[in-house]
Structures are given as structure tokens and as C-alpha cells.
Amino acid sequence: MPIPLVQCFMASSIVSHWGLGFKNIDKKYKNVFLLTDQKNAVSHMYYSPELNLLATASVDGYICLYTLPLCKLIRVLKVPCDNISYVMLSDSPLPVIIAICEGKSENDEIYVYSINGNLYLKKEEIYRMSNPLLVKSINSSDYLACVGEDNIYILSIPDLIIQVTVDKEFEIYSMCFSEDNKLLYAINKKGTEIMVIKVEKEKTKLNR
């Protein structure tokens, strides 16, 4: 019987994983898996239900990739940076691993790897990136939304081409997408102001 959901906790370099879901699930599916493959502190993790994979990232630039529900380690990647701030998994249009690092220059670095561990792309363009968010767009391709120092960006996956750039009207505390994934909501810390941004560019109509 598969585990329908997962929940994780990070504690230093150890990640605890267990299954949640059915009320009458057998006790053996509630086993805690201690993932001790990271040698330094875990900085971020990401679960992809589409790929049925769990990724953990560490402060020394390593990514560990696990299959679920048994948490089998299938890949270890070394990203050429000192600290991975965020790790994400996308399945559309290509299955990829996305690592966001603190860059050596003022801009942050984004690395895109294939699931097999091959480097697909590196991008160093967005200054002081925060609040990255992955979403499935209406055209079945994934997008990456993030906040820079002065702007909110929406980038295509896996090529990291900036599709939308919007000036920040206030400091962004959190972001989320609408149920149909057509709109991005950016919220301030007090929850009193919300920016509403279209995920995709408007298509230009040609006059005939």
C-alpha cells in the first residue's frame, strides 16, 4: 500500500520522514526514516508528488535525491557553490533538479540539473533572490516565481527565461498561486496589501 503523503523535519544533517494519510493505515507505514546521507546541516528540502522524489540540500552544496516511499538514495550531486538556499524538483516539460545558491557576486546563482545529475543550465541574474515558488502553468510547463531586490520575476522551466517582471510595491512576505495557476499573489508581512500578477504574458493580437 503506497504512502499517500509525506512529512519531514530537519535536524542538523538528519532528516526524519514518515507517512501520513489513511486513518487505518498499517503501523509499518508510519515508520520513521532517518536520512543521514548529508554530512553537514540541511538547508532545504523539496517533495515532488509528480516524480515521487524527495530532495534535500545542505549548506556545503550537496543535494541528495531519494525515491519514495522507502527513501532510497538514488543520486548525490555536488553543486559548485558553498551554500544551497533552496532546492526544487520539476517534472514538466523535463524532469529537473533546481538549486538556488548564494552567489559569489551580488547576484544569486540558479543551477538546473537533469534527474541523472547532468548540468543543464546555470543562471546568475537575479539580485538577492527570495521566496522562490514553483508552479504548474496552464500550458503544462512549470514556472519559477521569485522575489529580487526590486522586482518579482516569473521564469520558465527549464531554460530560466524571464517571462514576467513586475516592480515590487512593498516588501514581499509570502507568495502563492491561484487554484488555476493563472495568477500569482504576493502579500506583505501584515497581510494588508496583496499584489496580483498574471503568470503568463498577454498574447499580442494582430490586426488584419
Side-chain angles (χ1 to χ4, degrees):
M1 184 177 185
I3 300 176
L5 299 173
V6 296
Q7 183 164 330
C8 304
F9 273 124
M10 296 184 297
S12 184
S13 60
I14 300 176
V15 177
S16 299
H17 160 279
W18 67 92
L20 301 173
F22 303 111
K23 291 182 179 180
N24 297 324
I25 193 169
D26 190 281
K27 289 184 179 180
K28 68 180 180 180
Y29 291 106
K30 294 184 179 180
N31 288 344
V32 174
F33 295 85
L34 295 179
L35 310 181
T36 59
D37 302 288
Q38 295 284 12
K39 304 307 178 186
N40 282 285
V42 175
S43 55
H44 194 241
M45 65 175 62
Y46 191 91
Y47 164 59
S48 170
E50 295 84 11
L51 295 172
N52 208 30
L53 295 173
L54 173 71
T56 66
S58 69
V59 296
D60 58 353
Y62 281 91
I63 294 174
C64 292
L65 194 63
Y66 302 88
T67 58
L68 296 177
L70 298 180
C71 292
K72 180 182 178 181
L73 179 66
I74 60 170
R75 192 88 58 233
V76 177
L77 295 178
K78 177 63 178 79
V79 180
C81 66
D82 296 331
N83 183 16
I84 301 175
S85 303
Y86 303 95
V87 63
M88 296 178 172
L89 299 170
S90 170
D91 72 311
S92 180
L94 300 171
V96 293
I97 305 166
I98 302 167
I100 300 175
C101 304
E102 297 176 1
K104 295 180 180 179
S105 64
E106 292 182 339
N107 293 339
D108 288 333
E109 299 171 349
I110 309 176
Y111 295 86
V112 180
Y113 290 88
S114 70
I115 295 297
N116 293 327
N118 299 316
L119 180 63
Y120 177 80
L121 182 68
K122 175 188 175 183
K123 193 178 188 74
E124 187 177 356
E125 186 170 327
I126 298 175
Y127 180 57
R128 292 183 179 175
M129 186 189 308
S130 64
N131 296 87
L133 191 62
L134 198 67
V135 68
K136 291 192 172 299
S137 179
I138 54 176
N139 62 2
S140 298
S141 293
D142 287 356
Y143 283 85
L144 173 65
C146 60
V147 179
E149 185 180 39
D150 300 314
N151 305 95
I152 297 173
Y153 302 94
I154 299 177
L155 301 87
S156 61
I157 301 295
D159 296 322
L160 301 179
I161 297 172
I162 296 177
Q163 302 293 315
V164 178
T165 304
V166 179
D167 293 339
K168 285 196 309 184
E169 296 181 5
F170 45 77
E171 287 302 312
I172 306 300
Y173 177 71
S174 181
M175 296 195 301
C176 64
F177 285 94
S178 60
E179 187 175 356
D180 59 7
N181 294 332
K182 294 182 180 181
L183 300 174
L184 172 68
Y185 301 107
I187 307 165
N188 70 351
K189 190 169 185 178
K190 294 182 179 179
T192 56
E193 296 180 284
I194 300 175
M195 292 179 62
V196 182
I197 304 162
K198 289 185 177 180
V199 172
E200 295 186 312
K201 290 181 178 179
E202 293 285 351
K203 293 184 179 179
T204 303
K205 293 183 180 180
L206 301 177
N207 295 324
R208 294 185 177 182

